[in-house]
Amino acid sequence: AMSIPAATALVADLTGDEQRGKGYGLYEFMSSLGATFVPLIVCWIYYHAGQTVPFYLTVLVLLASAIWALLVLHRNPAKQAAQNQAMD
């Protein structure tokens, strides 16, 4: 729950003014989809593969997300400053 403001701010930063509604809609849709199906999938994995497998899979997903965020969302401060000046 503590990450929701940061996530919505990221959606706002990554989408333009014209696409912001679509961005928020997609964000909420994917969040709801994950909240609906991931617990069912994890319970199935827990039952069929063992007690520790869901935890290892969670670690892999979190590491992949962190690597993706570092590679894709990395911003160049000089480029960002130039874009901000161009908008003013």
Side-chain angles (χ1 to χ4, degrees):
M2 291 176 58
S3 66
I4 292 173
T8 54
L10 182 62
V11 171
D13 286 347
L14 294 176
T15 57
D17 290 337
E18 302 85 27
Q19 297 293 323
R20 190 157 296 151
K22 189 183 289 185
Y24 280 123
L26 183 61
Y27 169 75
E28 289 296 329
F29 173 72
M30 296 306 285
S31 295
S32 298
L33 202 62
T36 302
F37 291 110
V38 170
L40 299 172
I41 294 168
V42 170
C43 286
W44 185 87
I45 292 170
Y46 182 89
Y47 180 73
H48 290 288
Q51 297 175 353
T52 58
V53 175
F55 297 102
Y56 292 131
L57 289 175
T58 300
V59 167
L60 289 175
V61 169
L62 291 174
L63 285 175
S65 298
I67 291 169
W68 175 82
L70 288 173
L71 294 176
V72 175
L73 300 178
H74 178 357
R75 293 188 176 191
N76 184 348
K79 183 179 178 182
Q80 185 68 29
Q83 287 177 348
N84 289 341
Q85 287 179 348
M87 293 180 83
D88 292 336

